[in-house]
Amino acid sequence: MMTDNVNLDYYVCISGSETEKRIKVPVENDELVLLSMVRNHFPLAVGLNFRNPTNSDFSEVILEGEIIYPPNGGWSNKIFLVSFLTLQSGPWCGCSV
């Protein structure tokens, strides 16, 4: 559901893996992303992560309840990968990369 808090000119690029097509998810006016918006495209999503450009490690984005906070440096110039709920890894692990 769209709200007045959504900035339609500002999106986060997310994907289910590094090889899948990217999807744009709108960012709220307060720079937050709602997990519900991510789950519209990835129903088993439990969070987002991104590859750190300085060392190629993956960093998890802070999630509190249904709110995803921007990483240091903001949302721009990053591709975010979805962390999925998996039976093998438990509810907060199992990114598909």
Side-chain angles (χ1 to χ4, degrees), residues 10 31 70-76 78 80:
Y10 191 28
E31 301 293 313
N72 289 340
W75 299 109
S76 298
K78 296 176 185 77
F80 293 86

Side-chain angles (χ1 to χ4, degrees), residues 3-91:
T3 67
D4 291 336
N5 294 330
V6 175
N7 182 347
L8 295 177
D9 295 326
Y10 191 28
Y11 292 88
V12 172
C13 289
I14 63 171
S15 180
S17 76
E18 291 186 296
T19 59
E20 288 182 29
K21 180 180 171 186
R22 299 171 188 161
I23 295 170
K24 292 181 179 180
V25 173
V27 175
E28 301 285 309
N29 286 331
D30 54 7
E31 301 293 313
L32 304 175
V33 172
L34 301 179
L35 184 59
S36 61
M37 296 297 261
V38 175
R39 285 184 176 153
N40 284 338
H41 302 281
F42 302 97
L44 297 179
V46 295
L48 296 176
N49 62 75
F50 66 98
R51 190 178 294 277
N52 185 324
T54 59
N55 60 18
S56 296
D57 290 342
F58 282 96
S59 298
E60 194 73 19
V61 180
I62 295 173
L63 172 74
E64 253 182 37
E66 295 292 311
I67 299 172
I68 304 171
Y69 289 86
N72 289 340
W75 299 109
S76 298
N77 301 319
K78 296 176 185 77
I79 305 300
F80 293 86
L81 301 177
V82 177
S83 297
F84 293 100
L85 175 65
T86 65
L87 297 177
Q88 294 82 15
S89 62

